[in-house]
Structure formats: structure tokens, C-alpha cells
Amino acid sequence: MVGYLSARLEEALPVLREILSSEFGLAIVLGIFVLEGAMLLYFIPSEGIIPAAVFLTDGSPLDVFVLLTVAVVGATAGQFALFTAAKRLGRERLLDSRWVRIGDERLGRFDSWFENWGPIVVPVSNSLLFTRGMLTIPAGLAELDDREFLLLSAIGTLSFESLLAGATLFLLSV
């Protein structure tokens, strides 16, 4: 089975590299990050997007800078859409919607993080595995200022994606 998957990956890499280097490549990556930021991307682990893109572009400094910029803009836009939905719809309507896949109990844990620590948990949570974006809804429900949320979200995303890009570049150099 591993051999089969490895062979499929080897076949897919040139196609993925071509897509990424096409005129629509960055738009596709942007769209993926918007979906990831809005917590709508369930079929691709967000932790694999930047490493794969860095690997496929051979990790030149300009490519990494562009990828990080696209990642931050896209994820922040997606998180802002979810943040705005939380602000406008409120907790119950948001949880009742089909597209929000977080339960009341789990959301309650993140609500308490926000209540205890305040807005600083937005970039902190965006910088950590498994909690990325989870403070977006509590921040919206708390009616955090839009500009403050955008800045905090972007800072957290930049730190997380930079760590992933750096780790990938390190692994490529070994």
C-alpha cells in the first residue's frame, strides 16, 4: 500500500508543481487558505499546505515570501468571514448552521480561553497546531473590534505558516 501511495505521489508532484507555477496557481492557493481560515477546509490538513507548496517551488526566498503573503491574506480573509458571521448571527444560529462543525461544548472551552485571556489568545491560538482558528468564533461573539481581530489573526497566521515554511526549508537543506 505504501508503495502504491508513493508512486501516486510521484506522479502527482509534476502536475501539482505545474498548477502552482501556472497563472492561476497563487489564486488556487489563496482560495484554499480562505477556506482553511473560514474552517471550511476539511479534506486537506492545513498544516500540509505551506510545506507542500514550499517543497513544490523548491523553496526560493521569493517563492516562500509570496506563499507566506498569500497564506496570511487568504487565511485572515477566511477567518474574518467566520468572525463576521459569528458577530452577526450569534452563537445559537451559528451552531445550528450546517457549515460550522464545532459543537457547543468544544466552543465553550474556547469561549473560556477568550474570557480568561482576552484578544491575545487569537494570535496564540493561530500559532498552535490543533487550535488554529478556534478563537475566531469567540472573538466574533465577544464583538472584538474588526481591525484588532484582523491584525491579531494575521500575526498568528504569519507566525504559524513561517514556522512551517522554516521547518520545510530546514528539512530540504538536510
Side-chain angles (χ1 to χ4, degrees):
M1 181 61 138
V2 172
Y4 174 79
L5 292 175
S6 177
R8 295 295 151 244
L9 182 60
E10 283 183 33
E11 289 174 12
L13 284 178
V15 174
L16 293 172
R17 184 173 278 129
E18 187 173 325
I19 290 171
L20 197 56
S21 64
S22 76
E23 63 185 289
F24 300 110
L26 290 176
I28 292 167
V29 172
L30 179 70
I32 289 170
F33 273 99
V34 169
L35 292 173
E36 185 265 340
M39 295 175 54
L40 296 173
L41 190 66
Y42 299 106
F43 58 92
I44 299 174
S46 63
E47 295 78 14
I49 301 169
I50 284 292
V54 168
F55 175 75
L56 291 172
T57 59
D58 298 324
S60 78
L62 179 61
D63 286 341
V64 172
F65 174 78
V66 169
L67 288 169
L68 288 175
T69 301
V70 168
V72 170
V73 169
T76 302
Q79 284 189 355
F80 187 68
L82 182 58
F83 168 83
T84 303
K87 256 185 165 177
R88 293 192 179 155
L89 296 175
R91 183 185 189 91
E92 298 309 316
R93 285 183 57 203
L94 194 68
L95 289 175
D96 287 342
S97 67
R98 295 183 302 147
W99 50 274
V100 173
R101 296 187 180 183
I102 184 171
D104 191 39
E105 184 179 321
R106 189 166 183 215
L107 181 56
R109 282 191 301 237
F110 292 109
D111 283 338
S112 67
W113 285 21
F114 194 85
E115 289 169 13
N116 291 332
W117 298 98
I120 194 66
V121 296
V122 173
V124 170
S125 74
N126 275 356
S127 299
L128 301 172
L129 288 171
F130 310 115
T131 64
R132 282 197 38 72
M134 298 308 282
L135 272 291
T136 299
I137 294 172
L141 295 174
E143 299 195 11
L144 183 65
D145 177 71
D146 291 356
R147 288 184 192 144
E148 185 176 6
F149 175 80
L150 284 167
L151 177 64
L152 294 172
S153 174
I155 289 169
T157 298
L158 178 61
S159 69
F160 181 75
E161 301 302 345
S162 295
L163 288 170
L164 290 175
T168 304
L169 291 170
F170 173 76
L171 291 174
L172 287 174
S173 69
V174 174

